[in-house]
Amino acid sequence: MSSPINENETEKCPDVQVYNTTDIKRNFKGDRMNFILLLLLYTMQGFPIGLTSAIPILLQSMKDVSYQDQALFSLVIWPFSLKLLWAPLVDALYVRKIGRRKSWLLPVQYLLGSCLLYMSNDIDTLFPKTDKPNIMTWTYMFFITNILAATQDIVIDGWALTILNKKNLDHTSTCNTTGQTIGVMLGSMVPILLTSEDFCNKYLWVEPETGGVVSIESFFFVWGIIFMSATTLIAIFKKEKDHLLEENQIKLNVAQNYGLIWDILKLPGIRKLTLALLTARVGFSVTDSVTYLKLIDAGISKDDIAIINTALCLIKICLPLLSAKYTSGPKPMSIYLKSTIMKLTWSIAFLALIYITPRFVINNGFVDIPVTYYVVLIFVLFVDEIVSYIMFVAMLSFFSRICDPRFGGTYLTLLNTVSNLGFTWTSTVALGMIDLLTIKVCSKNSKNYCSTMDQQNTCETIGGDCDTLVNGYYIGTFICMIVGLLWICVFKNVLKSLQTKSSCYWLVKI
């Protein structure tokens, strides 16, 4: 079924062939190896993202890391929201004999492998066994790593638009979501679970042993080698097809590529979509960014959280295949809006979860959590992950549909960057405001509000505890829910209207 076209949208459509992939019969003959390659590349792209999500959990389990420290480390995800600043360079500068995408992919992945090898060699400095971790050093290292990962993201997204045949373009979102999920799972599961002595002794070893299956040091080292080896194989065996003279492609220099960004942003539909994407995640920024950290504070182990996340990742790998029928239909943003309302409503379940968690933790020298609680925890997280994933796939499907095929790399990077920025700024603000909204007082000194680490240490010195009077998580979640409902009222009709526009509406006029 084709999207309806308004009369005023058929005007002056440039002489550009636009492909309506919703009406083309798909056939993977000749594309199987390309499909596998995309899955591999998106898996490698997801790995640094998984690492970035694992480090805050490892840090929070040390108990002497504040939410302000977590807010500082959250800055490492900003390169994914700033990649548009150098995306035109990636599109315009390349060695034609190597390939437009391989010219960037090869050095970037070699550098990523080098960063992992460097961190494996300096792990004692990054993760001291006794002292508090140097949050600033972690932030520097992962900021650099994520700049490379964001550049890799630009390259792979651009290559994905040309590596598959036109009839299979809709499956780029499947490669993206499935590959990234596998990469995120590998990047987050192993450093939390298989390096944990408690987890290995509980689930893997017959007799208690010291340490985990792997160390953080060996984990970084092995993945550094994997990045180096995979990149070398791609360099030798995968030849990139030159699309410069095909498919109405236009050769632009660096200045023209930067100008192209402005040309895209001048489109009325893009301006409306940009404003919507920048504010779309405010409604659930606290539940997305703070919930896991609150669970750890309440006594749930990082190992248990990692096990649950791993199970959820396995489910998410299958979700694109199950949900593709619905998310790749003619109205993906209608699916996105319905899912947003469900996710906002589900914030109430998170409030209840955080409220009951301390009451299920029995502390008599050890933490004893009943199976009933884990059933509730898994159910709450499971529903949220499904809704979030449907939103993500629906949004990617819409992006793939509206991108101008002549400038697909820059166009898609712009849309993804705006979407990432909508997550990044809300996550940083959410983490930063929790401590500000939380009111604590020392049980031995009512004038000590435990607002800083020094005040908390002072309270402990005199034998007191910092009792929470007002939990900033509840206030922050409630405020965000109100803002999210207002967002629905403002953008509901706007997004429904945008998804009915024809392909000509989204073409760049140069």
Side-chain angles (χ1 to χ4, degrees):
M1 178 177 178
S2 301
S3 300
I5 301 176
N6 298 332
E7 292 181 2
N8 62 346
E9 293 170 26
T10 59
E11 72 220 326
K12 301 176 184 177
C13 191
D15 186 19
V16 178
Q17 186 177 3
V18 181
Y19 299 94
N20 185 359
T21 57
T22 60
D23 293 329
I24 297 177
K25 185 177 180 181
R26 293 156 182 80
N27 183 358
F28 276 108
K29 186 176 181 180
D31 256 349
R32 288 187 177 87
M33 292 307 299
N34 290 329
F35 190 85
I36 293 172
L37 176 60
L38 273 184
L39 277 176
L40 172 64
L41 291 174
Y42 276 118
T43 298
M44 297 175 72
Q45 178 183 316
F47 178 77
I49 300 174
L51 272 181
T52 302
S53 66
I55 296 302
I57 295 176
L58 292 172
L59 295 176
Q60 194 71 16
S61 65
M62 297 180 176
K63 298 298 183 183
D64 55 353
V65 176
S66 69
Y67 284 100
Q68 295 295 329
D69 292 330
Q70 294 285 8
L72 174 62
F73 183 78
S74 73
L75 296 177
V76 303
I77 63 178
W78 275 83
F80 289 97
S81 301
L82 300 175
K83 61 185 180 180
L84 191 62
L85 296 178
W86 61 92
L89 295 176
V90 177
D91 264 352
L93 303 178
Y94 57 92
V95 180
R96 193 169 178 181
K97 287 185 178 180
I98 299 176
R100 184 178 184 183
R101 305 306 175 185
K102 284 177 63 177
S103 294
W104 285 88
L105 181 70
L106 301 182
V108 163
Q109 291 198 161
Y110 277 130
L111 287 172
L112 270 170
S114 300
C115 286
L116 293 171
L117 293 175
Y118 172 79
M119 285 189 280
S120 73
N121 188 56
D122 201 33
I123 200 65
D124 290 335
T125 302
L126 294 171
F127 254 134
K129 292 181 173 60
T130 55
D131 297 332
K132 176 181 176 179
N134 189 323
I135 303 298
M136 187 61 70
T137 302
W138 273 111
T139 304
Y140 285 144
M141 287 303 305
F142 270 84
F143 194 85
I144 294 171
T145 300
N146 282 342
I147 287 177
L148 296 171
T151 306
Q152 180 195 40
D153 188 4
I154 299 169
V155 175
I156 298 174
D157 283 347
W159 203 0
L161 294 174
T162 58
I163 198 172
L164 295 178
N165 291 324
K166 298 295 175 296
K167 58 193 174 187
N168 295 321
L169 274 182
D170 274 1
H171 286 286
T172 57
S173 62
T174 302
C175 294
N176 187 323
T177 52
T178 302
Q180 276 200 22
T181 301
I182 295 172
V184 168
M185 182 177 68
L186 294 173
S188 58
M189 177 192 72
V190 177
I192 295 176
L193 292 183
L194 299 188
T195 63
S196 169
E197 181 177 322
D198 293 337
F199 172 80
C200 293
N201 284 331
K202 185 176 181 179
Y203 295 104
L204 301 181
W205 306 139
V206 177
E207 297 292 335
E209 296 187 21
T210 303
V213 174
V214 297
S215 64
I216 293 288
E217 177 183 1
S218 60
F219 173 72
F220 280 108
F221 178 80
V222 168
W223 270 97
I225 297 299
I226 290 175
F227 265 80
M228 294 290 194
S229 303
T231 306
T232 301
L233 291 175
I234 292 172
I236 295 173
F237 295 107
K238 179 58 181 177
K239 183 177 180 181
E240 183 180 351
K241 187 178 179 181
D242 189 353
H243 292 270
L244 184 61
L245 302 178
E246 301 177 7
E247 306 163 0
N248 298 295
Q249 294 291 321
I250 299 175
K251 172 67 174 177
L252 301 179
N253 58 36
V254 175
Q256 289 171 327
N257 265 287
Y258 277 102
L260 175 62
I261 295 175
W262 179 244
D263 289 329
I264 297 173
L265 288 172
K266 286 193 299 183
L267 296 174
I270 291 296
R271 291 202 296 267
K272 295 175 184 177
L273 182 61
T274 296
L275 186 58
L277 293 174
L278 285 175
T279 53
R281 302 189 67 91
V282 174
F284 23 84
S285 57
V286 171
T287 53
D288 281 353
S289 305
V290 186
T291 297
Y292 285 121
L293 304 181
K294 279 294 182 182
L295 290 173
I296 292 175
D297 286 344
I300 308 301
S301 73
K302 60 180 176 60
D303 295 344
D304 290 341
I305 289 176
I307 292 172
I308 294 171
N309 271 336
T310 301
L312 293 176
C313 282
L314 293 174
I315 293 171
K316 288 196 294 184
I317 291 172
C318 302
L319 270 179
L321 302 176
L322 299 176
S323 63
K325 177 181 177 181
Y326 307 99
T327 55
S328 61
K331 296 182 179 180
M333 296 314 289
S334 293
I335 302 295
Y336 182 87
L337 287 166
K338 291 177 182 178
S339 301
T340 299
I341 295 173
M342 291 178 60
K343 189 170 173 65
L344 283 172
T345 305
W346 203 244
S347 296
I348 299 173
F350 278 108
L351 289 173
L353 177 68
I354 297 301
Y355 177 78
I356 67 171
T357 297
R359 290 154 179 77
F360 274 88
V361 176
I362 303 171
N363 232 327
N364 290 322
F366 62 95
V367 175
D368 184 15
I369 306 173
V371 175
T372 306
Y373 172 80
Y374 283 111
V375 173
V376 174
L377 175 61
I378 292 171
F379 176 72
V380 172
L381 296 177
F382 175 74
V383 173
D384 182 70
E385 285 290 344
I386 289 180
V387 175
S388 298
Y389 216 61
I390 291 174
M391 291 172 60
F392 179 61
V393 177
M395 184 177 62
L396 285 182
S397 178
F398 183 63
F399 288 174
S400 298
R401 179 177 304 176
I402 67 176
C403 279
D404 188 330
R406 299 170 299 169
F407 318 108
T410 299
Y411 210 125
L412 191 57
T413 297
L414 172 61
L415 295 175
N416 284 330
T417 299
V418 172
S419 178
N420 289 335
L421 185 58
F423 168 76
T424 303
W425 80 265
T426 54
S427 176
T428 300
V429 171
L431 287 165
M433 74 178 184
I434 293 301
D435 281 340
L436 298 177
L437 295 176
T438 299
I439 301 177
K440 295 182 179 180
V441 64
C442 181
S443 58
K444 297 291 185 178
N445 181 5
S446 60
K447 295 183 179 180
N448 183 348
Y449 288 97
C450 299
S451 58
T452 65
M453 190 63 69
D454 290 337
Q455 290 180 340
Q456 293 174 23
N457 292 334
T458 301
C459 182
E460 293 178 3
T461 301
I462 62 177
D465 294 317
C466 289
D467 299 326
T468 301
L469 298 180
V470 177
N471 193 326
Y473 181 88
Y474 302 138
I475 298 176
T477 301
F478 180 75
I479 293 173
C480 289
M481 285 177 64
I482 298 299
V483 176
L485 292 174
L486 292 175
W487 184 90
I488 292 289
C489 294
V490 173
F491 289 104
K492 180 179 179 180
N493 291 332
V494 173
L495 293 178
K496 284 186 174 181
S497 174
L498 290 178
Q499 73 181 351
T500 65
K501 304 297 184 182
S502 72
S503 299
C504 293
Y505 181 80
W506 303 99
L507 293 178
V508 182
K509 298 176 178 62
I510 298 181

